[in-house]
Amino acid sequence: MFFTYLRRELRRRRKAALVVASGLALGIALVIIVTSVSSGMSKAQDKVLESLYGLGTDMTVTKAAAAQGAGGTQRPRFEFDAKEDEDATQSTDRVMVQGFQTLASSTVGKVGEQAGVADAVGGLSLTVMKVDGQFKRGEFKQDESAGQGGPGGGQGGGGQPQGEVQGGGASFDVNSFTVYGTDVTQQDLGPLTSSQITKGRTFKATETDAEVAVVDSAYAKEKELAVGRTVTVSGTEYTVVGVSTADSGDAAANVYIPLKQAQTVADSKDKVTTVYVKAAGSQQIDTVKAAIQKNIPGTTVTTSADLADTVSGSLSTASDLAAGVGKWLSAAVLVAAFLVAGLLTSSAVSRRVREFGTLKALGWKSGRVTRQVIGEALVNGLMGGVLGIAAGLAGAYVVTAISPTLTAQLGSTGGGTGGGPMGGGGGRQTASRTLDIALTAPVSLSTVLGAVALAVAGGLIAGAFGGWRASRLRPADALRRVA
């Protein structure tokens, strides 16, 4: 009887049911779209951070920035020999630790001993500046018209030839690239994990001090490097065993070599610039950070959340809009849809006074009338849920298909980033980096289940409005309206 009456009433009031369902569908669709876009923003930011941070890395430990006036920044110095052959090309390079701040390698072990640390690995970030060129000697040209007739036969009164040096000078090219020394025995942590080996292979665990290298694909293309060829760092030739491609954005370094080799060429034995840390769980990140800062003085700990605060540009702006305005707007529309559905249901009950009064006169209890109204409202809510989910999925698909490009600009945290892979420099400020990220709008199962819950809630709220009104009707109200 319940379902028969329910089906008949919904069929008879199709337009009213469609209006209620459409209102709920609008609110639910907006919630799905905003939620999916926010999820896409979060994933985009994660890609930006991974390009610097390394997959699985929760935080980095670098040396704390030195106080003002506590030692000037080292400047690169280049020295050239005086050669008789003016056409000889001269070349020299300088390997510099990024940020000029290092930690003892023993710091890696100390960090790994802290409670809540699952893994820790050290790395050394370097910048190599290579200068190539040649000097050209100038030519002295005498001024024949000067000093004619004077003593010395064309020389000035001081006995020196009159004239000037013309031509000569120097022409040098400066080539700068970055090198990252990686611990080949622990390659599942650190910035190299944010790249994929696309040609050749990665390092072997036994190549701790081997003269081998992995180069970034963009740098390999620029310098025409390939697997089997060599790249020179401070006079040492490294055989390229693999080519890597960054998953997103720029690579952490142009060239990757074993950590011991990096320490050797940089004259930084048993030194690292960065310790990459993986916490045992995401809930322990703040606790681990506090423990490291307390137990290992003279260090700066930077988490992914700290780095995320430095992300600006259209990605940050859009993320703030989605998280703020978008969520508030969707919540407001959803509340309005619920209220409209409830008011429409209550209004429909008012127009059915004669019907419900007659049913009560025939023996229907108030609870049965209320259940009937709630049942109709619940079906309207489920219909709105289906329409809303369909519209929300369509909207998310359109966003993903268009894939608008957002720009993420990464600035300095002021103490943890030093020009290199997420803090590779140890306390120096670094220049901003700009990355382009394609936005997607993934819809998760939890979002769909949430939409279903909203549809049911909308139906129940609307039914509660109408049911309360219907429960207050008396049979006498129906008799008054009988002509």
Side-chain angles (χ1 to χ4, degrees), residues 131-209:
V131 180
D132 298 284
Q134 62 183 11
F135 293 99
K136 186 177 180 180
R137 186 176 301 171
E139 297 181 357
F140 178 79
K141 289 191 176 182
Q142 184 173 352
D143 187 354
E144 297 180 354
S145 63
Q148 292 293 332
Q155 295 182 351
Q160 298 295 328
Q162 301 297 305
E164 62 180 357
V165 177
Q166 296 181 353
S171 177
F172 286 87
D173 292 327
V174 179
N175 177 33
S176 177
F177 61 97
T178 55
V179 176
Y180 175 70
T182 181
D183 188 342
V184 298
T185 63
Q186 293 180 279
Q187 298 185 53
D188 56 346
L189 192 61
L192 184 56
T193 57
S194 61
S195 297
Q196 299 291 329
I197 301 297
T198 51
K199 294 180 181 178
R201 63 173 177 85
T202 187
F203 299 105
K204 296 179 180 178
T206 56
E207 296 176 327
T208 55
D209 201 18

Side-chain angles (χ1 to χ4, degrees), residues 247-284:
D247 293 334
S248 64
D250 297 331
N254 300 130
V255 180
Y256 303 88
I257 61 177
L259 178 58
K260 284 188 177 181
Q261 282 290 321
Q263 292 170 336
T264 299
V265 298
D267 194 21
S268 300
K269 185 179 180 181
D270 297 328
K271 298 291 184 180
V272 296
T273 51
T274 314
V275 181
Y276 298 88
V277 184
K278 181 178 181 179
S282 59
Q283 298 82 6
Q284 297 178 273

Side-chain angles (χ1 to χ4, degrees), residues 212-449:
V212 293
V214 172
V215 297
D216 175 60
S217 58
Y219 185 73
K221 182 178 180 181
E222 177 187 351
K223 300 300 180 181
E224 298 182 350
L225 297 174
V227 175
R229 302 192 67 176
T230 60
V231 58
T232 302
V233 180
S234 189
T236 302
E237 291 187 349
Y238 293 88
T239 302
V240 177
V241 297
V243 177
S244 63
T245 302
D247 293 334
S248 64
D250 297 331
N254 300 130
V255 180
Y256 303 88
I257 61 177
L259 178 58
K260 284 188 177 181
Q261 282 290 321
Q263 292 170 336
T264 299
V265 298
D267 194 21
S268 300
K269 185 179 180 181
D270 297 328
K271 298 291 184 180
V272 296
T273 51
T274 314
V275 181
Y276 298 88
V277 184
K278 181 178 181 179
S282 59
Q283 298 82 6
Q284 297 178 273
I285 292 177
D286 291 337
T287 303
V288 172
K289 177 180 179 179
I292 295 174
Q293 290 176 325
K294 177 182 178 181
N295 300 326
I296 308 178
T299 59
T300 297
V301 184
T302 307
T303 67
S304 56
D306 297 329
L307 185 60
D309 291 338
T310 71
V311 178
S312 59
S314 60
L315 174 60
S316 177
T317 302
S319 181
D320 292 341
L321 287 174
V325 178
K327 289 185 177 180
W328 279 109
L329 178 61
S330 60
V333 171
L334 194 61
V335 171
F338 284 180
L339 291 176
V340 170
L343 293 174
L344 289 175
T345 303
S346 179
S347 177
V349 170
S350 299
R351 294 192 299 269
R352 298 167 66 184
V353 171
R354 179 186 301 176
E355 174 188 344
F356 290 136
T358 303
L359 290 174
K360 281 192 171 186
L362 294 174
W364 280 39
K365 301 294 185 181
S366 295
R368 185 175 180 181
V369 173
T370 301
R371 286 194 299 271
Q372 194 70 43
V373 174
I374 292 177
E376 294 175 12
L378 188 58
V379 172
N380 289 337
L382 293 175
M383 290 172 56
V386 172
L387 293 174
I389 291 174
L393 291 176
Y397 175 79
V398 169
V399 173
T400 303
I402 296 175
S403 295
T405 300
L406 299 177
T407 300
Q409 186 173 358
L410 294 144
S412 169
T413 60
T417 58
M422 182 48 207
R428 303 291 93 184
Q429 290 195 355
T430 180
S432 298
R433 295 179 56 184
T434 301
L435 304 176
D436 291 332
I437 302 294
L439 176 65
T440 59
V443 180
S444 63
L445 179 60
S446 60
T447 301
V448 175
L449 294 178

Side-chain angles (χ1 to χ4, degrees), residues 63-80:
K63 188 172 183 178
Q68 294 292 334
T73 300
Q74 302 178 30
R75 295 178 179 272
R77 294 175 59 87
F78 299 93
E79 297 180 357
F80 298 93

